[in-house]
Amino acid sequence: MKEDINWAALPFGYYPTDYNVRCTFRDGKWGEIEVTQSETLSLHIGATCLHYGQEIFEGLKAFRGKDGKVRIFRMDENAKRMRRSAEGLMMEPVPEEIFNKMCVMAVELNERFIPPYESGASLYIRPLEIGLSPRIGVKPATEYMFIVMVTPVGPYFKQGFGVSNYCITRAHDRVAPKGTGQFKCGGNYAAAMRAGEEAHDKGYSAILFLDPLEKKYLDECGPANFFAVKDGKYITPASESILPSITNMSLMTLCEDMGIPVERRHILVEELADCSEAAAIGTAAVASPIGNIDDLDTGKTYVMARDGKPGPVTTALYEKLNAIRYGLEDDIHGWNFIVGEDRVNA
Ligand SMILES: *Cc1c(COP(=O)(O)O)cnc(C)c1O
């Protein structure tokens, strides 16, 4: 049965699907994978995820290609990152094999919600892990649940690939200098929500955060990584408070393929004056081009898109990565997992 959905108009929101899959870690081992139609959970009121933030998640996408095949982009990397997040928050790591298997199951079970190629939409895959054991004293849980849910999402750029504006402020940090910035945990999002809403209220897409220690260098761009183009080079912040974006990693590889030099290093705020392009990077948008960056503390405006349009490097990278994700271009790096053809490695 095909769904009668206006795929291209779907927001980045929750649209109910048929199934989600779950697996529980109990008595020192991961149990059977369960398939359910329930959209709710029954939890102990003392669970560590509710009190002490033992919650981590991932985000990846499945795409229906022009050839009709369904591709999941770089799932192995998400599995590895989730393991690192689990270790960072003293949670039980989900074995990569279980992670991959459950992502594929969730996609297959909800096949009718994978948007058609023409719509530009995709199926967003959201794996999450929570601590279940009741704790009042601060201690890691011994029981955990891993869930994979999916939901169809529309194309990120509904009005076409275009720019939006960001701001810099020293009034907020997303994470602490040696905190949890490199882990994909809900707590980081809660900590940055007030800052994000204030930026939205002022008309910005998000805050371009500065490094939380010295406030001299560029750091995370809202809930996304950041790159700029300076003297024809792709520059992206090196920082221990940034979440290592798989999209950013992929764009750096594509730069190498395309002969664009890459620098991963500290980037001073003032360097923005010498940059010709910039973008926020992540699975949702690939690269969301930046128009202006206003420094709210100094009153300076850095113009990243002089003609108000996405620059050539950002556009080329965006198109190239999308072409790989939709199977229009050879997947020379082996990034796609083709559902129904490829097998999950044990
Ligand atoms: C998920 C996330 C990103 C983007 O990572 P991708 O793997 O490219 O989707 C960047 N920053 C933060 C804080 C994130 O949570």
Side-chain angles (χ1 to χ4, degrees):
M1 186 174 73
K2 270 270 173 289
E3 277 290 296
D4 190 18
I5 300 174
N6 184 358
W7 304 100
L10 281 176
F12 188 76
Y14 179 74
Y15 188 97
T17 56
D18 290 334
Y19 300 101
N20 60 86
V21 283
R22 305 176 184 189
C23 189
T24 305
F25 183 88
R26 185 173 287 139
D27 301 327
K29 56 178 193 301
W30 289 98
E32 295 293 313
I33 296 169
E34 295 161 43
V35 174
T36 175
Q37 289 197 286
S38 169
E39 292 171 283
T40 61
L41 270 175
S42 178
L43 281 181
H44 193 288
I45 57 171
T48 61
C49 64
L50 299 177
H51 297 258
Y52 301 128
Q54 275 200 311
E55 189 273 349
I56 55 174
F57 66 98
E58 272 302 327
L60 62 164
K61 281 178 171 180
F63 303 86
R64 195 186 296 279
K66 205 172 184 175
D67 57 6
K69 291 182 184 178
V70 175
R71 293 171 175 81
I72 307 178
F73 188 71
R74 304 202 78 172
M75 176 170 67
D76 292 324
E77 291 298 331
N78 292 89
K80 280 193 239 165
R81 190 169 66 189
M82 189 137 186
R83 168 181 285 281
R84 293 196 301 267
S85 297
E87 286 163 355
L89 272 78
M90 296 296 290
M91 297 171 67
E92 182 63 33
V94 176
E96 277 89 340
E97 188 194 350
I98 295 180
F99 181 99
N100 290 341
K101 202 166 155 185
M102 284 174 61
C103 286
V104 174
M105 276 178 81
V107 170
E108 285 177 337
L109 287 164
N110 296 292
E111 211 271 340
R112 70 190 183 100
F113 296 97
I114 308 173
Y117 167 72
E118 298 73 22
S119 65
S122 56
L123 188 72
Y124 185 70
I125 308 170
R126 168 55 63 85
L128 68 147
E129 184 183 357
I130 53 175
L132 297 180
S133 319
R135 293 275 184 267
I136 291 300
V138 181
K139 248 171 78 115
T142 47
E143 293 185 5
Y144 291 88
M145 186 181 279
F146 175 58
I147 304 172
V148 181
M149 55 184 258
V150 298
T151 194
V153 294
Y156 187 88
F157 298 101
K158 295 210 167 39
Q159 273 87 264
F161 190 54
V163 303
S164 56
N165 299 329
Y166 288 72
C167 64
I168 290 172
T169 163
R170 289 153 194 80
H172 299 287
D173 293 308
R174 186 183 76 96
V175 290
K178 291 194 186 289
T180 52
Q182 341 162 16
F183 309 125
K184 207 168 175 78
C185 58
N188 291 344
Y189 280 70
M193 229 170 242
R194 173 179 289 275
E197 287 303 304
E198 283 180 18
H200 291 164
D201 290 345
K202 294 192 173 100
Y204 300 104
S205 280
I207 292 176
L208 175 50
F209 289 102
L210 300 186
D211 79 276
L213 187 62
E214 298 185 81
K215 305 233 196 289
K216 275 165 57 180
Y217 306 109
L218 305 179
D219 210 78
E220 194 89 66
C221 191
N225 276 191
F226 175 86
F227 82 80
V229 178
K230 185 183 177 190
D231 303 327
K233 291 186 201 133
Y234 177 103
I235 61 172
T236 189
S239 156
E240 41 177 10
S241 48
I242 284 180
L243 194 275
S245 152
I246 295 161
T247 315
N248 196 5
M249 183 165 67
S250 309
L251 294 183
M252 288 190 264
T253 301
L254 294 180
C255 279
E256 282 167 32
D257 294 349
M258 293 157 81
I260 300 165
V262 171
E263 286 178 0
R264 228 181 123 254
R265 59 169 173 84
H266 289 328
I267 302 172
L268 285 165
V269 181
E270 294 73 36
E271 282 188 59
L272 287 172
D274 305 318
C275 294
S276 54
E277 299 180 35
I281 317 165
T283 293
V286 174
S288 183
I290 299 179
N292 291 343
I293 301 170
D294 292 338
D295 187 328
L296 301 180
D297 301 314
T298 64
K300 244 187 212 162
T301 291
Y302 299 98
V303 181
M304 295 293 109
R306 283 183 184 77
D307 57 359
K309 291 201 205 75
V313 173
T314 309
T315 306
L317 288 171
Y318 171 81
E319 285 176 354
K320 183 119 180 150
L321 193 68
N322 265 323
I324 296 171
R325 299 201 299 184
Y326 281 102
L328 302 173
E329 193 160 313
D330 277 351
D331 178 21
I332 59 167
H333 299 289
W335 287 342
N336 293 319
F337 179 96
I338 303 182
V339 177
E341 283 185 19
D342 292 334
R343 306 232 344 239
V344 170
N345 298 321

